Amino acid sequence: KNEVEQSPQNLTAQEGEFITINCSYSVGISALHWLQQHPGGGIVSLFMLSSGKKKHGRLIATINIQEKHSSLHITASHPRDSAVYICAVREGGSEKLVFGKGTKLTVNP
Amino acid sequence: NAGVTQTPKFQVLKTGQSMTLQCAQDMNHEYMSWYRQDPGMGLRLIHYSVGAGITDQGEVPNGYNVSRSTTEDFPLRLLSAAPSQTSVYFCASTSGTSVLNTGELFFGEGSRLTVL
């Protein structure tokens, strides 16, 4: 069974700090997603990765397929980045997604 | 562009009642799925579909039925609601499959269901 582990579970930062959230998984995958869930509950897709690195604004996502590990970085964090960040992986050859439990980020002004 | 539309947003049921959560997408996505989100747990897959007429079970399918008669719609049916089905439900769609692997995920806004 594929396990998706995220760390840390909770993270509190001061505005402007550099944030890193980690995701590890146990089996081969075809894709990894990073999602953001706001306090209101809605979920939006941030990145889909199958290799390398992607950047969108202040967000950067990286994946190391050999080490079965991905990181989400937020540069110059802002209170509006406060949310739960969720990692999800699609196993190779499967249509199913397996989700981590999420990392709750709070950025204080 | 509406994206993924999910209704209702809130519902209270009594044990044994039935109901249907509606999900519709206007992006011509092949892959649609239903998840439940419970405190302290990650999103868990209930059922999914890779195209009209094709459905399959996810991790927690018991107590739920689905059908996919059109590309746009993927309703989730609770035939006899139980308190254990109290949860927040999300519908999602993506343009990708395991073969094409192109798909960004699009989620509905969620449905909060309480079963008394």
Side-chain angles (χ1 to χ4, degrees), chain A residues 1 30-31 33 35 37 41-43 45 48 50 86 90 93-97 99-101, chain B residues 31 35 37 40 42-43 45 48 50 57 59 90 94 96-98 101-105 107:
Chain A
K1 180 181 175 182
S30 60
H33 297 262
L35 310 167
Q37 185 170 26
I43 301 174
S45 176
M48 190 197 76
S50 54
I86 301 169
R90 177 174 291 174
S94 170
E95 301 293 350
K96 301 178 183 180
L97 285 170
F99 291 77
K101 294 181 180 180
Chain B
Y31 184 92
Y35 302 90
Q37 186 177 42
L43 287 152
L45 180 64
Y48 68 99
V50 298
Q57 296 182 349
E59 182 183 355
F90 287 94
T94 177
T97 65
S98 61
N101 193 26
T102 59
E104 178 183 353
L105 283 167
F107 283 83

Side-chain angles (χ1 to χ4, degrees), chain B residues 13-31:
Chain B
L13 291 176
K14 294 180 180 178
T15 297
Q17 286 185 318
S18 62
M19 77 156 299
T20 299
L21 296 175
Q22 302 290 347
C23 179
Q25 51 89 12
D26 61 358
M27 298 170 282
N28 202 33
H29 286 171
E30 294 180 353
Y31 184 92

Side-chain angles (χ1 to χ4, degrees), chain A residues 48-60:
Chain A
M48 190 197 76
L49 296 161
S50 54
S51 63
K53 176 180 176 179
K54 287 189 176 180
K55 184 176 188 292
H56 181 70
R58 294 179 295 106
L59 301 178
I60 303 166

Side-chain angles (χ1 to χ4, degrees), chain A residues 66-78:
Chain A
Q66 286 73 28
E67 294 186 4
K68 296 186 171 61
H69 181 269
S70 176
S71 293
L72 177 68
H73 305 285
I74 305 174
T75 61
S77 60
H78 190 276

